[in-house]
């Protein structure tokens, strides 16, 4: 089973893989190592007998003035990649992290108008230009140890993904402005995932 981790680092770059896997990639450096952070901006599937890809539906919650007690625990972490312990794990269902009803449905994948890409671009570009942000990412560590994926809800799944469900192992992204100490949070889930306890 992949390690559930928290990365704290500084953004160094970005790239896109939108046609086949619908991911926005953030490059972040920490402790002298650069990591690839793969963020779902949709979930593309190929229809049977067709060469066309379509995007399934993604739910997004975004808060530019985020405040939650979990921040007090992660801001104290050193730069690096930390295996997540129960005291600072995320659970969309059992913890009061945000109002699920305020998640925005992002039904299509359009690089020019995608709500989530606009949010990520804003803070990734600002981070690279101004150098005043730290990024914190919860997700699963790549097998090669050089990246993080599943940066979204990791429970309440149906069908072929149900076997991968893990409680207290949900993903998220936080941008921390070290100048004014503000936090921006991004939480992701797929429409077919359930928030029921």
């Amino acid at each position: 089973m992949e390690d559930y981790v928290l990365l704290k680092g500084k953004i160094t770059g970005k790239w896109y893989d939108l046609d086949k896997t619908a991911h926005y990639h953030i490059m972040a450096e920490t402790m002298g190592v650069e990591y690839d952070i793969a963020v779902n901006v949709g979930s593309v599937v190929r229809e049977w007998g067709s060469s066309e890809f379509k995007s399934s539906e993604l739910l997004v919650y975004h808060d530019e003035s985020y405040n939650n007690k979990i921040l007090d625990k992660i801001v104290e972490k050193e730069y690096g990649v930390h295996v997540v312990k129960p005291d600072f794990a995320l659970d969309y269902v059992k913890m009061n992290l945000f109002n699920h009803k305020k998640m925005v449905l992002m039904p299509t994948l359009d690089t020019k108008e995608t709500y989530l890409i606009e949010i990520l671009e804003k803070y990734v570009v600002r981070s690279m230009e101004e150098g005043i942000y730290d990024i914190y990412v919860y997700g699963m560590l790549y097998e090669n140890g050089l990246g993080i994926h599943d940066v979204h809800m990791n429970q309440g799944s149906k069908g072929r993904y149900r076997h991968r469900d893990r409680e207290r192992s949900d993903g998220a992204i936080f941008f921390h402005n070290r100048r004014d100490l503000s936090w921006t949070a991004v939480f992701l889930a797929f429409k077919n995932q359930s928030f029921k306890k």
Side-chain angles (χ1 to χ4, degrees), residues 18 22-24 39-43 55 58 106 109 114 116-117 120:
L18 303 179
H23 283 84
Y24 178 102
V39 184
N40 288 83
V41 290
S43 180
S55 174
L58 185 71
M106 193 182 70
L109 187 63
T114 299
L116 177 56
I117 291 179
L120 296 174

Side-chain angles (χ1 to χ4, degrees), residues 4-174:
Y4 175 47
V5 300
L6 168 67
L7 176 146
K8 177 180 179 178
K10 298 184 183 299
I11 295 173
T12 57
K14 62 178 182 172
W15 62 285
Y16 311 92
D17 184 11
L18 303 179
D19 293 336
K20 294 185 177 181
T21 64
H23 283 84
Y24 178 102
H25 292 259
I26 301 171
M27 302 306 296
E29 186 274 333
T30 185
M31 302 297 290
V33 179
E34 192 168 54
Y35 292 83
D36 175 55
I37 301 163
V39 184
N40 288 83
V41 290
S43 180
V44 284
V45 294
R46 190 196 299 268
E47 291 192 338
W48 179 257
S50 171
S51 61
E52 296 294 320
F53 286 90
K54 293 188 176 181
S55 174
S56 64
E57 296 172 331
L58 185 71
L59 294 168
V60 181
Y61 178 85
H62 158 235
D63 187 344
E64 293 189 332
S65 300
Y66 189 67
N67 185 25
N68 189 284
K69 60 184 180 181
I70 193 68
L71 301 178
D72 294 332
K73 295 183 178 181
I74 67 174
V75 74
E76 297 176 349
K77 299 297 181 186
E78 300 290 337
Y79 289 102
V81 176
H82 307 268
V83 175
V84 177
K85 305 298 182 184
D87 65 314
F88 63 101
L90 298 185
D91 191 305
Y92 286 18
V93 177
K94 296 179 179 179
M95 297 170 66
N96 184 27
L97 293 170
F98 61 96
N99 186 342
H100 305 152
K101 294 181 179 179
K102 290 187 176 182
M103 297 193 90
V104 174
L105 178 63
M106 193 182 70
T108 60
L109 187 63
D110 184 327
T111 58
K112 294 182 179 179
E113 298 181 0
T114 299
Y115 174 73
L116 177 56
I117 291 179
E118 291 177 355
I119 295 168
L120 296 174
E121 282 278 270
K122 176 180 177 180
Y123 287 97
V124 167
V125 171
R126 189 177 293 177
S127 296
M128 291 190 293
E129 291 180 348
E130 301 178 13
I132 61 173
Y133 287 89
D134 286 334
I135 186 171
Y136 295 74
V137 181
Y138 280 90
M140 303 302 172
L141 192 65
Y142 286 0
E143 288 186 6
N144 67 7
L146 295 177
I148 297 175
H149 67 126
D150 287 355
V151 185
H152 50 66
M153 185 176 181
N154 287 306
Q155 58 183 309
S157 302
K158 298 177 182 178
R160 61 191 177 118
Y161 294 108
R162 185 153 189 183
H163 72 282
R164 298 174 60 180
D165 277 8
R166 297 170 62 174
E167 295 182 355
R168 301 188 68 80
S169 299
D170 290 325
I173 305 170
F174 301 99

